[in-house]
């Protein structure tokens, strides 16, 4: 296989990793489901099952949190024809409501993904989360989210500013 084709395959797999993080943070179950093959599996340690079952488990769990942000670091992808394996570093930030005040929890680790190209389209066939460390502290977010309206804040779901922005492919519409 030529280097350009391998590079394109790696880029498609890397974009899947980024889109999973986006779907998780926006609590977008439909987007998340579209990134996995129908028979895909997931192992997050506290959850093991099909990707579909993972989505049914994780979206309600995420909705109990005030906010999340998953940052993806270095992504290594090895391609072998229609199969690929990837290791992607992550740092996941969670704003949680706690009985004694809100908590900021960070979990860091790596996603070990298996990708398959079926009918010309790459998707994830298995994901395993490997945890390296975590930390919890009191949440000190001091944005006035109810105030002036001068800032744009991230939202869960289709009302987040990113949906309209990406749908327009960056064209100026106003």
């Amino acid at each position: 296989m030529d280097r350009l084709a391998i590079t394109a395959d790696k880029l498609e797999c890397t974009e899947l990793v980024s889109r999973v993080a986006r779907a998780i943070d926006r609590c977008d179950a439909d987007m998340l489901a579209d990134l996995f093959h129908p028979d895909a599996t997931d192992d997050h340690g506290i959850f093991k099952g099909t990707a579909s079952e993972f989505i049914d488990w994780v979206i309600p769990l995420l909705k109990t949190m005030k906010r999340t942000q998953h940052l993806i670091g270095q992504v290594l992808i090895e391609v072998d024809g229609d199969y690929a394996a990837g290791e992607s570093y992550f740092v996941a930030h969670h704003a949680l409501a706690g009985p004694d005040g809100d908590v900021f929890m960070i979990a860091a680790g790596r996603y070990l993904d298996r990708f398959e190209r079926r009918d010309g389209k790459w998707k994830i066939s298995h994901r395993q989360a490997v945890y390296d460390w975590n930390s919890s502290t009191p949440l000190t977010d001091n944005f006035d989210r109810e105030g002036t309206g001068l800032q744009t804040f991230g939202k869960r779901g289709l009302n987040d500013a990113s949906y309209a922005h990406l749908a327009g492919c960056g064209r100026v519409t106003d």
Side-chain angles (χ1 to χ4, degrees):
M1 186 176 274
D2 68 50
R3 289 175 52 175
L4 186 57
I6 291 171
T7 300
D9 291 340
K10 288 182 177 197
L11 183 58
E12 286 187 51
C13 293
T14 300
E15 185 153 317
L16 286 169
V17 173
S18 296
R19 288 186 182 278
V20 169
R22 179 175 185 241
I24 290 287
D25 290 335
R26 301 287 63 83
C27 289
D28 190 333
D30 292 336
M31 181 193 306
L32 191 55
D34 190 49
L35 304 171
F36 290 87
H37 284 296
D39 60 343
T41 54
D42 185 282
D43 178 354
H44 263 70
I46 58 174
F47 172 88
K48 293 179 185 178
T50 68
S52 177
E53 292 167 336
F54 172 73
I55 294 165
D56 291 343
W57 172 79
V58 77
I59 296 296
L61 175 64
L62 291 165
K63 288 183 177 180
T64 69
M65 301 176 190
K66 293 179 168 225
R67 289 172 290 287
T68 61
Q69 186 177 64
H70 290 69
L71 303 176
I72 303 299
Q74 61 268 34
V75 179
L76 302 173
I77 305 288
E78 296 295 331
V79 177
D80 183 11
D82 289 336
Y83 300 90
E87 177 188 49
S88 307
Y89 281 66
F90 71 85
V91 178
H93 301 87
H94 306 81
L96 310 170
D100 299 321
D102 295 343
V103 175
F104 177 56
M105 192 275 285
I106 302 173
R110 291 158 288 130
Y111 296 122
L112 303 181
D113 291 313
R114 286 196 311 260
F115 307 93
E116 292 182 28
R117 178 174 33 213
R118 299 180 190 171
D119 299 321
K121 186 164 177 78
W122 285 102
K123 291 191 178 188
I124 298 169
S125 60
H126 178 74
R127 168 166 276 195
Q128 178 181 2
V130 175
Y131 299 97
D132 291 325
W133 61 270
N134 82 336
S135 177
S136 294
T137 62
L139 182 65
T140 59
D141 182 349
N142 61 6
F143 278 133
D144 180 3
R145 295 176 189 276
E146 306 298 323
T148 65
L150 298 176
Q151 295 167 302
T152 301
F153 293 104
K155 297 178 182 169
R156 296 231 167 118
L158 301 178
N159 290 327
D160 185 77
S162 65
Y163 285 87
H165 174 74
L166 292 171
C169 295
R171 289 186 295 270
V172 177
T173 57
D174 46 16

